[in-house]
Amino acid sequence: MNESTFPGTQHLSSSTEPMSSTPDPAPATPASPVETPVEAPAVTAAETPAPTTPVPPRTVTPPGNYAEMPRPTAKLTAEDLHPVNEPNGAIGKIGPTGRPLPVLPDVLPPTRRGPAQVIAMCNQKGGVGKTTTTINLGAAIAETGRKVLLIDFDPQGSASIGLGVQPHDLEISVYNLLMQRDITPDEVIRPTKVENLDLLPANIDLSAAEVQLVQEVAREYTLSRVLEPIIPLYDVILIDCAPSLGLLTVNALTASNGIVVPLECEFFALRGLAMLTDTIGKVQDRLNPKLEIVGILGTMFDGRTTHAREVLDRVVQAFDERVFHTVIRRTVKFPETTVVGEPITTYAPSSSAATQYRDLAKEVLARCPAG
């Protein structure tokens, strides 16, 4: 009864009947080759080239692109997935990237001011944590006594909102600084609630700059020209780029000497990394040879999911030491800080999220020391 209820069972039953009848002539066929040994080698000779022909395509088909679907990796233990809080550091501990966690020494206060290290937070895919990383990394670096400037280079103005500035209330923004020669940076830059942290805000007007800059001479160097007089006044300048690879992002990469790539531990974000690295290579060759990748930061990491571990492992296989040891995990604290308009280091200074960004600040300063 059960077989008749499923579609296709009649076809299966009918196919089994002729199969039962076929075994009868089957013994007759093997009997003939045994009697005629001359035909046997002819059959084997015809069969031998068949398996050799499909072998070459199989060796060529696997691409070397790191953006392909990652393979399963070994699971990490629960001890490895949690932050390590030991007085002697994380010696011998394996971090979420699958590598031993380094001992990050405390960052000493700067002995002088400037020139600033200009770092662009760039990834053409949206929702990977660029703005969150820009705000909280800037606040963590500012805690070390360094003077930090955050540049909101996204027409959405998310970095401005995250620091308590309403974009629609701005009378002057980074757009005016780019397009009007009579505007100075001092007129646009404003202090924030965080000590040593300033903001160059943006609003929707910045979207018009991408269209207007097309007609400008040396349009890729517009932001670099604007930042030139204020670089000696800061230790670190962080640029929150828009989720695109347009002219605004190219301006940010041309004005920077380093780039941090926030990467969500998800497959689509991994595929977008291939296009971003291609753009970075073109900017290095044609516009800014000093541009270097400071590091790739895994964000929104959930060690309980196999997919997140596989994606992070694939990135480490492709970029090795360029991947930060620090990984930003998912937490409900980040949406709360956006509502309050302050970074995680002041909203929840003792939280694990604040500790992660302080560790990231140590890694960034160790790779490109400022001050």
Side-chain angles (χ1 to χ4, degrees), residues 57-140:
R58 291 179 183 176
T59 57
V60 176
T61 46
N65 187 6
Y66 59 86
E68 294 299 325
M69 196 54 147
R71 298 179 179 179
T73 56
K75 293 184 178 180
L76 301 176
T77 62
E79 183 180 3
D80 296 329
L81 297 177
H82 289 286
V84 181
N85 297 318
E86 295 183 357
N88 297 328
I91 301 178
K93 295 292 183 179
I94 302 300
T97 62
R99 300 169 296 172
L101 292 174
V103 178
L104 300 175
D106 294 334
V107 180
L108 300 177
T111 57
R112 56 182 176 82
R113 182 71 68 206
Q117 297 283 339
V118 184
I119 302 174
M121 299 288 172
C122 184
N123 193 330
Q124 82 278 5
K125 187 180 183 302
V128 297
K130 292 188 299 295
T131 301
T132 301
T133 298
T134 304
I135 295 174
N136 296 293
L137 175 61

Side-chain angles (χ1 to χ4, degrees), residues 230-277:
I230 62 175
I231 285 181
L233 307 178
Y234 290 92
D235 297 314
V236 177
I237 297 178
L238 301 179
I239 306 176
D240 181 26
C241 298
S244 69
L245 294 178
L247 188 54
L248 291 178
T249 301
V250 173
N251 261 265
L253 296 179
T254 305
S256 305
N257 48 28
I259 176 174
V260 171
V261 183
L263 178 69
E264 181 186 6
C265 296
E266 187 262 345
F267 180 60
F268 285 149
L270 178 62
R271 290 187 61 86
L273 186 59
M275 186 182 301
L276 177 60
T277 52

Side-chain angles (χ1 to χ4, degrees), residues 207-361:
S207 60
E210 190 149 15
V211 179
Q212 298 175 9
L213 285 175
V214 175
Q215 303 176 357
E216 295 289 333
V217 178
R219 54 184 179 270
E220 296 88 357
Y221 296 92
T222 304
L223 180 61
S224 179
R225 172 183 55 81
V226 168
L227 297 182
E228 186 175 356
I230 62 175
I231 285 181
L233 307 178
Y234 290 92
D235 297 314
V236 177
I237 297 178
L238 301 179
I239 306 176
D240 181 26
C241 298
S244 69
L245 294 178
L247 188 54
L248 291 178
T249 301
V250 173
N251 261 265
L253 296 179
T254 305
S256 305
N257 48 28
I259 176 174
V260 171
V261 183
L263 178 69
E264 181 186 6
C265 296
E266 187 262 345
F267 180 60
F268 285 149
L270 178 62
R271 290 187 61 86
L273 186 59
M275 186 182 301
L276 177 60
T277 52
D278 181 61
T279 302
I280 294 173
K282 292 179 180 178
V283 173
Q284 290 173 332
D285 295 337
R286 306 174 187 178
L287 299 172
N288 184 10
K290 297 181 180 180
L291 181 64
E292 296 291 342
I293 297 180
V294 178
I296 300 173
L297 174 66
T299 61
M300 305 181 189
F301 178 73
D302 189 350
R304 299 170 296 180
T305 63
T306 303
H307 183 72
R309 297 195 301 269
E310 290 174 349
V311 171
L312 186 59
D313 181 70
R314 189 67 175 127
V315 176
V316 173
Q317 290 178 12
F319 294 94
D320 196 19
E321 291 302 322
R322 286 189 175 182
V323 182
F324 288 111
H325 292 271
T326 304
V327 173
I328 308 301
R329 297 173 174 83
R330 289 187 182 272
T331 176
V332 297
K333 293 293 183 181
F334 292 130
E336 296 176 3
T337 58
T338 305
V339 177
V340 179
E342 59 180 292
I344 191 69
T345 54
T346 58
Y347 176 77
S350 59
S351 63
S352 60
T355 303
Q356 292 163 19
Y357 273 109
R358 291 190 182 102
D359 291 341
L360 177 62

